[in-house]
Amino acid sequence: MTDDFFWGISLDKERKTVCWDPERDADPSDPSGGLRGEHTLLVKQIVLGPDVREGEVNVVEVEAMGYQQDMKFPIAVMKGGGPHQSVLDLLFPDYPVTFKLIKGNGPVYLLGNHSKGTGELGADDDDDDALDEELDDEDIDDLDEIAERNNIEERRRKLAQSNNSKPKAKKAKTDDENQSSPDRNSDKKAKK
């Protein structure tokens, strides 16, 4: 089961660095023990604030865990007076993730989704899993039947094509056919 939440931060000259870390940000007074489960962050959009001076360049950098090491790269370069928003599609499956305004004064807004997987299966999820297993077996049987029918239809189509592509032999007239039409022979004899 997953819970999704709207997420957003702003970076400006007074707050140049923001770190997304659900474990660190958990409320210690929360009776559930804070946030538990698997967290992911999907950054979908960056918006340049309306107060940015024309021509001012703002660069946002992210530092996050890569495959085997921490990675640090700029994710957006926005210039005042130009487009005020840009679509991003950045998924961060591990935390912490640090966003930093390395150039410019902002404000720059990053928006997206914070997903929290609880790892718990609800009662409906159990029913859905059983139904999925039933459908999977039935679907496999249906797919086997369809594949078999398609194979037979393919063979018939190829056979029909091969029969249509063979040149037909011309039928030669035999003496029996010439003699079988007495009217023609009698007409020929009569003209002589």
Side-chain angles (χ1 to χ4, degrees):
M1 190 165 143
T2 303
D3 293 327
D4 295 308
F5 305 96
F6 179 75
W7 173 88
I9 61 167
S10 62
L11 301 171
D12 56 29
K13 62 183 174 187
E14 292 156 8
R15 187 177 179 200
K16 289 196 174 266
T17 302
V18 174
C19 183
W20 176 73
D21 187 347
E23 284 186 358
R24 187 193 70 198
D25 297 338
D27 183 4
S29 64
D30 185 357
S32 69
L35 298 172
R36 289 193 180 141
E38 187 175 313
H39 296 270
T40 58
L41 179 65
L42 176 61
V43 180
K44 293 184 166 191
Q45 185 175 18
I46 185 167
V47 178
L48 193 58
D51 300 333
V52 173
R53 289 177 287 154
E54 190 165 331
E56 179 183 343
V57 175
N58 289 270
V59 180
V60 177
E61 178 182 79
V62 68
E63 183 175 357
M65 177 56 105
Y67 173 61
Q68 293 181 342
Q69 63 186 7
D70 285 349
M71 309 289 285
K72 187 187 285 192
F73 290 103
I75 58 169
V77 177
M78 307 282 290
K79 186 175 183 179
H84 284 277
Q85 69 178 9
S86 183
V87 175
L88 302 175
D89 190 18
L90 301 171
L91 178 65
F92 298 100
D94 297 313
Y95 48 88
V97 178
T98 303
F99 299 92
K100 186 174 185 179
L101 184 61
I102 61 172
K103 185 172 183 178
N105 294 317
V108 175
Y109 306 98
L110 292 159
L111 310 168
N113 293 77
H114 172 185
S115 296
K116 175 187 164 199
T118 61
E120 299 173 5
L121 291 176
D124 291 341
D125 291 337
D126 292 336
D127 294 341
D128 289 345
D129 290 342
L131 182 59
D132 286 345
E133 288 176 12
E134 282 181 32
L135 290 176
D136 288 342
D137 292 340
E138 291 172 10
D139 289 341
I140 290 172
D141 293 341
D142 290 345
L143 288 174
D144 289 343
E145 289 176 23
I146 290 170
E148 187 175 320
R149 269 187 282 161
N150 286 343
N151 194 13
I152 291 170
E153 290 171 7
E154 180 70 17
R155 286 182 190 160
R156 286 181 183 161
R157 185 182 62 78
K158 285 181 179 178
L159 182 60
Q161 280 180 343
S162 67
N163 287 340
N164 289 339
S165 65
K166 290 181 183 175
K168 293 183 179 178
K170 291 186 178 180
K171 190 174 181 182
K173 287 190 176 184
T174 60
D175 288 336
D176 293 336
E177 287 178 351
N178 288 336
Q179 292 174 358
S180 64
S181 51
D183 294 335
R184 283 189 192 165
N185 290 337
S186 59
D187 288 341
K188 288 179 184 177
K189 289 179 185 175
K191 288 182 183 179
K192 292 183 182 174

